[in-house]
Amino acid sequence: MHKTSSSSTLGPDGLDISKSFFKPIQGSTPPPLTSRNTKITVVGVGNVGMAIAQTILTQAIADEIALVDVNADKLRGEMLDLQHAAAFLPRTKISASVDYSNTVGSDLVIVTAGARQIPGESRLNLLHRNLALFKKVVPPLAEKSPEGILLVVSNPVDVLTYVAWKLSGFPSNRVIGSGTNLDSSRFRFLIADHLDLNAQDVQAYIVGEHGDSSVALWSSISVGGVPILSFLERQQIAYEKQTLEKIHKEVVDGAYEVIGLKGYTSWAIGYSVASLARAILRDQRSIHPISVLAKGFHGIDGGELFLSLPSQLGRSGVLGVTNVHLTDEEAKQLQESAKTILEVQAQLGI
Ligand code: NAD
């Protein structure tokens, strides 16, 4: 077992320095503990896991981060590298171990472990490589943090979120996939770039599979409170359906392009997942397109599956799914996306 933690208090002579360093103030009593620590485990310290960990650290989202990986040297190296930034960051305890006992009592467990996409590989092709891995990883995580929330990032994220749900035995409100939270950010960026404004003023969702069959909800896009499509129609501004489809295609191709250029994606998924971690641990009750148990929504039937729908997140996980209006065409595309996921799932035997 290889276990290390950030808090070593023994001096060279074996004395516990922390006990003698501060003189107690006469008559003072320590303040009562009003809130307990928040702990996040990140499984997999590759490009994605580390981008997530470092974004969580800089945004002071948790009191404690536990890192897990099978590669002990890389794990220790990444832990030390983050710990060495302590003087520039809000205080967070960082620990790392190949042993799952280090993850005990996590409020949130983020799983990024897995084979990553190689250039040109579809996310669904990754599945069989990552299924075996999840069978090793999820049961001990669930056992060590039975009250925790599982947030799956590894691809194909929708199917692996379903796998994690089955393997953990957790209720569905406590198993989430990062889903199209990232795709929606790419979408908002492209629309904002097109209109030369701030992406945070663009309300726009990509739903369905995080991948090739995702669905752009054009009918509900608004910018600064103005519904875009009806605005264009009212102003009799012609827009080509192809133009809209081109923007959606850029979203779908976005990950492939980045992977083709730099080998992996990291920064955007880091921010995307950190935003979900904050929504959960700080009980933000904010709405995010994330992968949730989708059976029964928008005419999705035919089996249990996870795919992304705009959902409200808070301290207990998924609080609800928003009743977003879909056009008939959007609903049909979403049902097709669900079918794609179910077909893949059927090959798993899980
Ligand atoms: P990476 O190869 O850099 O890192 C994967 C890490 O997992 C490695 O450090 C490896 O040692 C570790 N690992 C392997 N088996 C393990 C096990 N049994 N237990 C613990 N750790 C284990 O890959 P990456 O670029 O960080 O990508 C990780 C995953 O995230 C991939 O599946 C990728 O497709 C996915 N991803 C998802 C999104 C999304 O939006 N959902 C975005 C980007 C990447």
Side-chain angles (χ1 to χ4, degrees), residues 43-49 68-71 74 100 112-117 123 126 130 133 136-137 152-157 160 178-179 182-183 186 210 264-266 269:
V43 185
V45 297
N47 302 296
V48 171
V68 180
D69 203 291
V70 282
N71 183 340
K74 166 125 169 95
Y100 284 88
T112 77
R116 79 169 109 102
Q117 269 167 293
R123 292 188 182 96
L126 271 180
N130 282 342
L133 189 151
K136 281 192 233 149
V137 165
V152 176
V153 183
S154 315
N155 274 321
V157 67
L160 287 178
S178 63
L182 172 58
D183 316 50
R186 289 186 179 125
H210 167 63
Y264 55 87
T265 62
S266 57
I269 184 68

Side-chain angles (χ1 to χ4, degrees), residues 1 3 17 41 60 100 163 182 185 193 209 263 268 279 294 305 308 322 349:
M1 188 178 99
K3 182 167 179 173
I17 302 166
T41 284
Y100 284 88
V163 169
L182 172 58
S185 172
D193 200 41
E209 183 208 0
L305 80 154
S308 285
T322 54

Side-chain angles (χ1 to χ4, degrees), residues 6-323:
S6 61
S7 51
S8 166
T9 53
L10 290 186
D13 52 2
L15 285 176
D16 187 341
I17 302 166
S18 66
K19 291 250 165 59
S20 56
F21 191 75
F22 291 106
K23 284 187 182 156
I25 297 172
Q26 284 286 314
S28 71
T29 48
L33 284 176
T34 48
S35 62
R36 61 178 289 276
N37 272 7
T38 46
K39 177 172 176 178
I40 297 180
T41 284
V42 179
V43 185
V45 297
N47 302 296
V48 171
M50 289 315 292
I52 292 169
Q54 94 94 23
T55 313
I56 285 171
L57 273 180
T58 54
Q59 297 186 358
I61 293 168
D63 301 297
E64 195 176 340
I65 296 185
L67 304 173
V68 180
D69 203 291
V70 282
N71 183 340
D73 285 346
K74 166 125 169 95
L75 184 62
R76 181 167 166 75
E78 291 292 6
M79 179 196 71
L80 291 173
D81 205 6
L82 284 182
Q83 286 176 345
H84 295 168
F88 314 110
L89 289 170
R91 185 168 181 272
T92 306
K93 183 182 174 198
I94 304 164
S95 62
S97 175
V98 295
D99 192 302
Y100 284 88
S101 56
N102 194 38
T103 70
V104 162
S106 297
D107 302 281
L108 178 64
V109 175
I110 301 169
V111 184
T112 77
R116 79 169 109 102
Q117 269 167 293
I118 41 181
E121 184 183 27
S122 92
R123 292 188 182 96
L124 295 182
N125 281 349
L126 271 180
L127 179 60
H128 287 286
R129 291 201 278 155
N130 282 342
L131 175 63
L133 189 151
F134 264 49
K135 286 186 177 165
K136 281 192 233 149
V137 165
V138 174
L141 287 170
E143 190 213 318
K144 300 293 179 200
S145 302
E147 303 301 322
I149 293 169
L150 271 175
L151 172 47
V152 176
V153 183
S154 315
N155 274 321
V157 67
D158 301 294
V159 178
L160 287 178
T161 307
Y162 169 83
V163 169
W165 175 54
K166 285 286 174 196
L167 292 173
S168 66
F170 282 7
S172 60
N173 65 304
R174 289 201 281 120
V175 184
I176 297 161
S178 63
T180 56
N181 199 47
L182 172 58
D183 316 50
S184 299
S185 172
R186 289 186 179 125
F187 194 35
R188 291 166 71 186
F189 159 72
L190 289 169
I191 294 165
D193 200 41
H194 199 68
L195 300 174
D196 195 20
L197 46 81
N198 189 326
Q200 294 194 7
D201 288 325
V202 179
Q203 291 275 310
Y205 292 110
I206 299 279
V207 298
E209 183 208 0
H210 167 63
D212 303 344
S213 75
S214 69
V215 181
L217 297 187
W218 287 104
S219 67
S220 59
I221 295 177
S222 68
V223 175
V226 180
I228 279 289
L229 284 198
S230 51
F231 170 81
L232 293 175
E233 276 156 15
R234 262 200 324 276
Q235 302 293 315
Q236 296 183 328
I237 299 172
Y239 61 90
E240 299 278 326
K241 202 162 176 251
Q242 281 120 317
T243 312
L244 306 184
E245 277 162 9
K246 197 170 149 266
I247 294 181
H248 181 211
K249 190 168 179 320
E250 271 187 67
V251 172
V252 173
D253 292 344
Y256 297 117
E257 187 180 3
V258 177
I259 291 167
L261 292 167
K262 68 174 234 184
Y264 55 87
T265 62
S266 57
W267 304 123
I269 184 68
Y271 280 99
S272 164
V273 172
S275 79
L276 302 178
R278 189 175 48 241
I280 292 166
L281 294 181
R282 304 271 184 246
D283 195 29
Q284 293 295 292
R285 293 170 178 264
S286 44
I287 294 164
H288 303 263
I290 45 161
S291 200
V292 292
L293 188 61
K295 191 179 175 201
F297 292 104
H298 304 292
I300 295 172
D301 53 17
E304 286 168 327
L305 80 154
F306 281 65
L307 55 65
S308 285
L309 294 171
S311 310
Q312 193 188 28
L313 277 181
R315 188 61 193 82
S316 54
V318 183
L319 306 179
V321 173
T322 54
N323 203 358

